[in-house]
Amino acid sequence: MNNSELYNALTRFGDWYQLRINGESGKLMQDLQQFDNNWRPYNPRKIVNREGLSITSLDGGLSGIPDLDSIYEYNIKNNTNLNEHSFKKKTPVYQYCSGWLDFLGDNVSRTHFIRLHPGGYFPIHRDNKTIDIDSFRLFVPIKNCDYPDLTFVLDRQVLSFNEGWMYFLDTCKEHYLFNSSVSSVVTFMVVNVELTESAVTSVLKNLRAG
């Protein structure tokens, strides 16, 4: 199967859907406290109230450089040719997320936690606008990730999540999200997955309703 066929195999089940992959988000938040000093500004060229914590990175470290930057902008500035699959080395954070990620094998690409402080947001965008797609996006809400604290709009639909569960999202469609609360910090995991037949098969075997 080519990449278009693989991606169509994912999206034929919906623009977004829940998988059977889940874990204890409360326990995870406790585990992550040891990394309180390792959160870094997410896409630091933009002044937005959001931070990232690397689960995979270029060198297995937690500097956030360049995996928490805009890869497109970083490549232009540094004359590099990095992509989502350049960031497959596990950081010390990975072991606390393995229950969500190990089923994907070596298809896990650039993956991180993001936390949005009150007012933090991602403006409307699409993750891919090219003919050939080589990755797809999974999402795990961890804390304060339901409406209205987290307002996540995909193709004009406000999504509702169960914390600790993994979701497929078709982020080729327009989407935006923001923390509309006055005091809550929103935390979630973003998983970029290499678009391979094994990865797609793993996801489809784990459809929650099926």
mmCIF file with all atom_site columns, all heavy atoms in Angstrom, residues 17 48-49 51-52 70 78 108 116 149 208:
data_model
loop_
_atom_site.group_PDB
_atom_site.id
_atom_site.type_symbol
_atom_site.label_atom_id
_atom_site.label_alt_id
_atom_site.label_comp_id
_atom_site.label_asym_id
_atom_site.label_entity_id
_atom_site.label_seq_id
_atom_site.pdbx_PDB_ins_code
_atom_site.Cartn_x
_atom_site.Cartn_y
_atom_site.Cartn_z
_atom_site.occupancy
_atom_site.B_iso_or_equiv
_atom_site.pdbx_formal_charge
_atom_site.auth_seq_id
_atom_site.auth_comp_id
_atom_site.auth_asym_id
_atom_site.auth_atom_id
_atom_site.pdbx_PDB_model_num
ATOM 1  N N   . TYR A 1 17  ? -11.138 9.357  16.530 1.00 0.00 ? 17  TYR A N   1
ATOM 2  C CA  . TYR A 1 17  ? -11.755 8.229  17.228 1.00 0.00 ? 17  TYR A CA  1
ATOM 3  C C   . TYR A 1 17  ? -10.828 7.734  18.342 1.00 0.00 ? 17  TYR A C   1
ATOM 4  O O   . TYR A 1 17  ? -9.617  7.961  18.322 1.00 0.00 ? 17  TYR A O   1
ATOM 5  C CB  . TYR A 1 17  ? -12.123 7.091  16.276 1.00 0.00 ? 17  TYR A CB  1
ATOM 6  C CG  . TYR A 1 17  ? -11.065 6.679  15.291 1.00 0.00 ? 17  TYR A CG  1
ATOM 7  C CD1 . TYR A 1 17  ? -10.023 5.814  15.651 1.00 0.00 ? 17  TYR A CD1 1
ATOM 8  C CD2 . TYR A 1 17  ? -11.103 7.143  13.973 1.00 0.00 ? 17  TYR A CD2 1
ATOM 9  C CE1 . TYR A 1 17  ? -9.063  5.424  14.735 1.00 0.00 ? 17  TYR A CE1 1
ATOM 10 C CE2 . TYR A 1 17  ? -10.136 6.754  13.049 1.00 0.00 ? 17  TYR A CE2 1
ATOM 11 C CZ  . TYR A 1 17  ? -9.128  5.891  13.435 1.00 0.00 ? 17  TYR A CZ  1
ATOM 12 O OH  . TYR A 1 17  ? -8.175  5.505  12.533 1.00 0.00 ? 17  TYR A OH  1
ATOM 13 N N   . VAL A 1 48  ? 3.683   32.518 22.893 1.00 0.00 ? 48  VAL A N   1
ATOM 14 C CA  . VAL A 1 48  ? 2.414   31.904 23.264 1.00 0.00 ? 48  VAL A CA  1
ATOM 15 C C   . VAL A 1 48  ? 2.651   31.146 24.566 1.00 0.00 ? 48  VAL A C   1
ATOM 16 O O   . VAL A 1 48  ? 3.714   30.559 24.758 1.00 0.00 ? 48  VAL A O   1
ATOM 17 C CB  . VAL A 1 48  ? 1.907   30.935 22.168 1.00 0.00 ? 48  VAL A CB  1
ATOM 18 C CG1 . VAL A 1 48  ? 0.569   30.320 22.567 1.00 0.00 ? 48  VAL A CG1 1
ATOM 19 C CG2 . VAL A 1 48  ? 1.767   31.657 20.833 1.00 0.00 ? 48  VAL A CG2 1
ATOM 20 N N   . ASN A 1 49  ? 1.660   31.134 25.449 1.00 0.00 ? 49  ASN A N   1
ATOM 21 C CA  . ASN A 1 49  ? 1.833   30.570 26.784 1.00 0.00 ? 49  ASN A CA  1
ATOM 22 C C   . ASN A 1 49  ? 1.708   29.047 26.748 1.00 0.00 ? 49  ASN A C   1
ATOM 23 O O   . ASN A 1 49  ? 0.717   28.477 27.193 1.00 0.00 ? 49  ASN A O   1
ATOM 24 C CB  . ASN A 1 49  ? 0.789   31.178 27.733 1.00 0.00 ? 49  ASN A CB  1
ATOM 25 C CG  . ASN A 1 49  ? 1.240   31.102 29.173 1.00 0.00 ? 49  ASN A CG  1
ATOM 26 O OD1 . ASN A 1 49  ? 2.325   30.618 29.479 1.00 0.00 ? 49  ASN A OD1 1
ATOM 27 N ND2 . ASN A 1 49  ? 0.386   31.578 30.075 1.00 0.00 ? 49  ASN A ND2 1
ATOM 28 N N   . GLU A 1 51  ? 4.248   25.170 26.732 1.00 0.00 ? 51  GLU A N   1
ATOM 29 C CA  . GLU A 1 51  ? 5.537   24.540 26.973 1.00 0.00 ? 51  GLU A CA  1
ATOM 30 C C   . GLU A 1 51  ? 5.494   23.093 26.507 1.00 0.00 ? 51  GLU A C   1
ATOM 31 O O   . GLU A 1 51  ? 4.426   22.500 26.379 1.00 0.00 ? 51  GLU A O   1
ATOM 32 C CB  . GLU A 1 51  ? 5.872   24.562 28.463 1.00 0.00 ? 51  GLU A CB  1
ATOM 33 C CG  . GLU A 1 51  ? 5.987   25.945 29.075 1.00 0.00 ? 51  GLU A CG  1
ATOM 34 C CD  . GLU A 1 51  ? 6.069   25.880 30.591 1.00 0.00 ? 51  GLU A CD  1
ATOM 35 O OE1 . GLU A 1 51  ? 5.175   25.264 31.204 1.00 0.00 ? 51  GLU A OE1 1
ATOM 36 O OE2 . GLU A 1 51  ? 7.033   26.429 31.144 1.00 0.00 ? 51  GLU A OE2 1
ATOM 37 N N   . GLY A 1 52  ? 6.683   22.518 26.273 1.00 0.00 ? 52  GLY A N   1
ATOM 38 C CA  . GLY A 1 52  ? 6.772   21.129 25.872 1.00 0.00 ? 52  GLY A CA  1
ATOM 39 C C   . GLY A 1 52  ? 7.784   20.372 26.712 1.00 0.00 ? 52  GLY A C   1
ATOM 40 O O   . GLY A 1 52  ? 8.720   20.948 27.279 1.00 0.00 ? 52  GLY A O   1
ATOM 41 N N   . SER A 1 70  ? 9.651   24.840 15.740 1.00 0.00 ? 70  SER A N   1
ATOM 42 C CA  . SER A 1 70  ? 9.053   24.604 14.434 1.00 0.00 ? 70  SER A CA  1
ATOM 43 C C   . SER A 1 70  ? 10.125  23.983 13.551 1.00 0.00 ? 70  SER A C   1
ATOM 44 O O   . SER A 1 70  ? 11.150  24.622 13.275 1.00 0.00 ? 70  SER A O   1
ATOM 45 C CB  . SER A 1 70  ? 8.563   25.915 13.812 1.00 0.00 ? 70  SER A CB  1
ATOM 46 O OG  . SER A 1 70  ? 8.364   25.751 12.426 1.00 0.00 ? 70  SER A OG  1
ATOM 47 N N   . ASN A 1 78  ? 18.840  26.971 9.882  1.00 0.00 ? 78  ASN A N   1
ATOM 48 C CA  . ASN A 1 78  ? 20.082  26.234 10.110 1.00 0.00 ? 78  ASN A CA  1
ATOM 49 C C   . ASN A 1 78  ? 20.526  25.394 8.914  1.00 0.00 ? 78  ASN A C   1
ATOM 50 O O   . ASN A 1 78  ? 21.488  24.637 9.022  1.00 0.00 ? 78  ASN A O   1
ATOM 51 C CB  . ASN A 1 78  ? 19.911  25.332 11.336 1.00 0.00 ? 78  ASN A CB  1
ATOM 52 C CG  . ASN A 1 78  ? 19.706  26.120 12.603 1.00 0.00 ? 78  ASN A CG  1
ATOM 53 O OD1 . ASN A 1 78  ? 20.654  26.599 13.205 1.00 0.00 ? 78  ASN A OD1 1
ATOM 54 N ND2 . ASN A 1 78  ? 18.452  26.259 13.019 1.00 0.00 ? 78  ASN A ND2 1
ATOM 55 N N   . VAL A 1 108 ? 7.302   5.200  16.386 1.00 0.00 ? 108 VAL A N   1
ATOM 56 C CA  . VAL A 1 108 ? 7.113   6.431  17.165 1.00 0.00 ? 108 VAL A CA  1
ATOM 57 C C   . VAL A 1 108 ? 8.132   7.467  16.708 1.00 0.00 ? 108 VAL A C   1
ATOM 58 O O   . VAL A 1 108 ? 9.347   7.246  16.785 1.00 0.00 ? 108 VAL A O   1
ATOM 59 C CB  . VAL A 1 108 ? 7.264   6.162  18.670 1.00 0.00 ? 108 VAL A CB  1
ATOM 60 C CG1 . VAL A 1 108 ? 7.130   7.470  19.462 1.00 0.00 ? 108 VAL A CG1 1
ATOM 61 C CG2 . VAL A 1 108 ? 6.218   5.157  19.145 1.00 0.00 ? 108 VAL A CG2 1
ATOM 62 N N   . LEU A 1 116 ? -0.587  23.808 28.155 1.00 0.00 ? 116 LEU A N   1
ATOM 63 C CA  . LEU A 1 116 ? -1.083  25.145 27.851 1.00 0.00 ? 116 LEU A CA  1
ATOM 64 C C   . LEU A 1 116 ? -1.502  25.816 29.139 1.00 0.00 ? 116 LEU A C   1
ATOM 65 O O   . LEU A 1 116 ? -2.370  25.311 29.857 1.00 0.00 ? 116 LEU A O   1
ATOM 66 C CB  . LEU A 1 116 ? -2.292  25.071 26.908 1.00 0.00 ? 116 LEU A CB  1
ATOM 67 C CG  . LEU A 1 116 ? -2.093  24.460 25.518 1.00 0.00 ? 116 LEU A CG  1
ATOM 68 C CD1 . LEU A 1 116 ? -3.418  24.462 24.774 1.00 0.00 ? 116 LEU A CD1 1
ATOM 69 C CD2 . LEU A 1 116 ? -1.042  25.209 24.732 1.00 0.00 ? 116 LEU A CD2 1
ATOM 70 N N   . ASP A 1 149 ? -12.194 23.826 29.610 1.00 0.00 ? 149 ASP A N   1
ATOM 71 C CA  . ASP A 1 149 ? -10.788 24.144 29.887 1.00 0.00 ? 149 ASP A CA  1
ATOM 72 C C   . ASP A 1 149 ? -9.959  24.026 28.618 1.00 0.00 ? 149 ASP A C   1
ATOM 73 O O   . ASP A 1 149 ? -9.235  24.948 28.252 1.00 0.00 ? 149 ASP A O   1
ATOM 74 C CB  . ASP A 1 149 ? -10.235 23.209 30.964 1.00 0.00 ? 149 ASP A CB  1
ATOM 75 C CG  . ASP A 1 149 ? -10.750 23.542 32.358 1.00 0.00 ? 149 ASP A CG  1
ATOM 76 O OD1 . ASP A 1 149 ? -11.288 24.651 32.531 1.00 0.00 ? 149 ASP A OD1 1
ATOM 77 O OD2 . ASP A 1 149 ? -10.607 22.703 33.262 1.00 0.00 ? 149 ASP A OD2 1
ATOM 78 N N   . ARG A 1 208 ? -11.348 1.215  19.713 1.00 0.00 ? 208 ARG A N   1
ATOM 79 C CA  . ARG A 1 208 ? -12.091 0.891  20.923 1.00 0.00 ? 208 ARG A CA  1
ATOM 80 C C   . ARG A 1 208 ? -13.449 0.279  20.599 1.00 0.00 ? 208 ARG A C   1
ATOM 81 O O   . ARG A 1 208 ? -13.909 -0.664 21.250 1.00 0.00 ? 208 ARG A O   1
ATOM 82 C CB  . ARG A 1 208 ? -12.291 2.130  21.793 1.00 0.00 ? 208 ARG A CB  1
ATOM 83 C CG  . ARG A 1 208 ? -12.852 1.748  23.163 1.00 0.00 ? 208 ARG A CG  1
ATOM 84 C CD  . ARG A 1 208 ? -12.939 2.877  24.122 1.00 0.00 ? 208 ARG A CD  1
ATOM 85 N NE  . ARG A 1 208 ? -13.400 2.389  25.418 1.00 0.00 ? 208 ARG A NE  1
ATOM 86 C CZ  . ARG A 1 208 ? -13.865 3.157  26.369 1.00 0.00 ? 208 ARG A CZ  1
ATOM 87 N NH1 . ARG A 1 208 ? -13.960 4.461  26.185 1.00 0.00 ? 208 ARG A NH1 1
ATOM 88 N NH2 . ARG A 1 208 ? -14.274 2.629  27.517 1.00 0.00 ? 208 ARG A NH2 1
#
